[in-house]
Amino acid sequence: MFMFRRLTVRMNSPYFTDSTAGLDTYATDSLGKSAVNKGGIRRLRSRMAQGLKSEDDPPKVKSEVEEQSISLQTHAQPPTETVSNCKKTTTKVKEEAVDNQALLTSSRKTRRGRLKVEYENEGAELKSEPCDWRTQLSFIREMRSKRDAPVDQMGAEKCYDTEAPPEVRRYHVLISLMLSSQTKDLVTAGAMQRLREHDLSVDVILNMDEGTLGKLIYPVGFWRTKVKYIKQATALIQQEFGGDIPDTVEGLMRLPGVGPKMAHLAMDIAWNQVSGIGVDTHVHRISNRLGWTRKETKTPEETRRALEEWLPRDLWSEINWLLVGFGQQVCLPVGPLCSVCLNQHTCPAAHRSSPSKKLKSSPASPTPQVKGNVGQEKPRGNRRKGKTGAPPSGQTSVLESA
């Protein structure tokens, strides 16, 4: 009994109570510290492991964001708004990463595409316009503004009968083009006038003998060859095209004596369709003198292809009329009048020959005007005066030589 009381007093004493509490507190603190230390060691080990892994693998935005969210949840208990903001930030970062990756991929594809196009077009020739061609063309228009050249009065578009039926007018245009090869416009206009006096048409030419036709068209250049071509072409028009000239370049070139120049001019004048540039000796010569061809061309057909590569299509119909009249008055085949030409400072061929010649004034009437032109081409071949017979036998050639 005594011992029980003694033990009770001792347990109720403040000394015993404080010591026990102290021991409990110490134990609790030590356990908490050990738990904290254990948690710190685990985090340290996990961070070290992640650091080693990050050295081998490239850093990823997604893993860093997840680590940040885990650490925030471990050390503190954020409110609901903070957690939602963190989720939004994570989603936004993910979206930005996806967008950046898409941009990089698209830029790489674009660069590859551009390189592919460059390699594909590496051997292709680039179309380039000649220097100062617009200025030169405007000066030619200014010099041709009076419209007083022989082609303006007696060209193919002036030789048909305006009161005839449409198919007859188109036939007149074709015959005038066939006669104009290697022939002055004055001679061509005279031959067409005589043919029209005999009611020029498909049926009339088919019923006319070659001798009569030759007398009517003489003295055009290569008149014998042209008589045969006119008869053969007219028969083909009657048999395969119903009495009207073909309405395509391919059909026109099937006719004997008709080449690319005549076909394109016939399409423009007769059918009012621009199919190509009509290049004759004047257009061929002036284009090479002005440097409008990439390299010097040898034939009118080469010049046509060279001009059509860069010249705007809306100028194809005008260019023949401009250059033909310009070649008849100023840019002559022999002794061009460079001193009066407005393009003398930009033309590569200016002043190479006869730089001191001056342009003669043209009379008002068309016929004396042609006779007064300086340096015009003379009909090839020596014709004897006062006779209507044939020229020398060696004077036969193809119509499309010019």
Side-chain angles (χ1 to χ4, degrees):
M1 187 68 181
F2 176 76
M3 291 298 292
F4 178 75
R5 289 178 180 176
R6 187 81 174 173
L7 182 59
T8 303
V9 171
R10 186 177 179 180
M11 291 178 66
N12 290 332
S13 64
Y15 178 76
F16 184 78
T17 303
D18 295 336
S19 63
T20 305
L23 290 173
D24 294 339
T25 304
Y26 176 77
T28 304
D29 293 340
S30 62
L31 289 174
K33 290 180 180 180
S34 63
V36 171
N37 291 333
K38 288 180 181 180
I41 292 171
R42 291 194 190 98
R43 286 194 298 273
L44 181 60
R45 288 177 178 175
S46 64
R47 290 178 181 175
M48 291 175 65
Q50 291 176 359
L52 293 174
K53 187 177 180 181
S54 63
E55 290 179 358
D56 298 333
D57 299 334
K60 297 182 179 180
V61 178
K62 183 177 179 181
S63 60
E64 292 178 1
V65 175
E66 289 178 356
E67 277 186 328
Q68 185 178 2
S69 61
I70 293 171
S71 63
L72 289 173
Q73 291 178 2
T74 304
H75 293 289
Q77 296 293 334
T80 307
E81 295 180 358
T82 306
V83 174
S84 63
N85 292 332
C86 183
K87 290 181 179 179
K88 290 180 181 179
T89 304
T90 305
T91 306
K92 186 176 181 180
V93 171
K94 290 180 180 179
E95 292 177 356
E96 290 178 356
V98 172
D99 293 337
N100 292 332
Q101 187 175 3
L103 288 173
L104 290 174
T105 306
S106 63
S107 64
R108 288 173 184 172
K109 289 181 179 179
T110 304
R111 288 196 296 271
R112 288 175 182 172
R114 289 176 182 173
L115 289 174
K116 186 175 182 180
V117 171
E118 290 175 0
Y119 291 145
E120 287 177 354
N121 296 334
E122 186 175 359
E125 294 183 359
L126 300 177
K127 298 180 179 179
S128 58
E129 298 178 352
C131 298
D132 301 327
W133 75 271
R134 294 185 184 276
T135 304
Q136 293 170 346
L137 185 63
S138 64
F139 284 151
I140 293 175
R141 284 198 185 102
E142 184 177 350
M143 289 182 282
R144 293 278 288 111
S145 60
K146 294 181 180 180
R147 296 176 179 266
D148 55 355
V151 69
D152 300 320
Q153 306 295 332
M154 294 165 286
E157 64 277 3
K158 302 291 184 181
C159 291
Y160 62 85
D161 187 2
T162 57
E163 297 180 358
E167 63 274 9
V168 176
R169 293 199 301 265
R170 289 190 284 266
Y171 182 70
H172 287 186
V173 171
L174 179 63
I175 296 300
S176 66
L177 289 172
M178 295 178 70
L179 294 176
S180 65
S181 177
Q182 296 289 338
T183 307
K184 290 182 179 181
D185 288 333
L186 179 61
V187 178
T188 302
M192 284 298 299
Q193 182 64 32
R194 292 189 294 271
L195 289 173
R196 286 171 54 187
E197 291 175 356
H198 286 74
D199 298 328
L200 177 61
S201 65
V202 173
D203 296 333
V204 170
I205 294 298
L206 289 177
N207 296 326
M208 186 180 295
D209 60 277
E210 293 186 1
T212 303
L213 181 58
K215 291 179 181 180
L216 291 176
I217 67 173
Y218 183 80
V220 298
F222 312 109
W223 64 275
R224 282 187 172 180
T225 305
K226 291 179 181 179
V227 166
K228 295 179 181 179
Y229 285 162
I230 290 174
K231 294 285 288 186
Q232 295 173 5
T234 304
L236 192 61
I237 290 172
Q238 181 66 33
Q239 295 171 4
E240 297 190 13
F241 300 100
D244 199 355
I245 68 172
D247 58 352
T248 61
V249 175
E250 292 77 11
L252 288 167
M253 291 182 64
R254 287 181 57 192
L255 303 177
V258 178
K261 178 200 75 173
M262 296 181 189
H264 290 303
L265 290 176
M267 289 295 298
D268 186 14
I269 300 172
W271 293 106
N272 197 23
Q273 296 180 14
V274 179
S275 58
I277 301 175
V279 179
D280 62 353
T281 54
H282 296 287
V283 180
H284 171 63
R285 178 180 70 254
I286 296 171
S287 298
N288 279 275
R289 285 180 177 178
L290 292 174
W292 285 5
T293 56
R294 189 172 303 174
K295 59 181 181 179
E296 186 178 358
T297 55
K298 302 300 182 181
T299 62
E301 184 61 18
E302 291 181 5
T303 304
R304 181 186 67 82
R305 290 193 294 265
L307 291 176
E308 289 180 357
E309 286 183 359
W310 62 267
L311 189 68
R313 194 179 182 86
D314 56 350
L315 298 176
W316 288 8
S317 177
E318 181 189 15
I319 199 67
N320 177 270
W321 166 76
L322 283 174
L323 296 188
V324 169
F326 180 62
Q328 290 176 342
Q329 290 183 312
V330 180
C331 197
L332 306 175
V334 179
L337 309 179
C338 299
S339 59
V340 299
C341 180
L342 300 178
N343 290 321
Q344 58 179 307
H345 300 294
T346 58
C347 178
H351 300 292
R352 287 184 183 176
S353 61
S354 61
S356 60
K357 284 191 176 182
K358 295 184 180 180
L359 181 65
K360 292 184 179 181
S361 59
S362 300
S365 59
T367 304
Q369 171 186 330
V370 177
K371 293 181 180 179
N373 283 337
V374 178
Q376 271 194 335
E377 304 101 324
K378 296 181 180 180
R380 296 185 181 180
N382 298 322
R383 296 186 176 90
R384 289 171 289 182
K385 295 182 180 180
K387 292 187 179 182
T388 58
S393 60
Q395 193 184 15
T396 57
S397 176
V398 183
L399 292 184
E400 279 302 313
S401 59

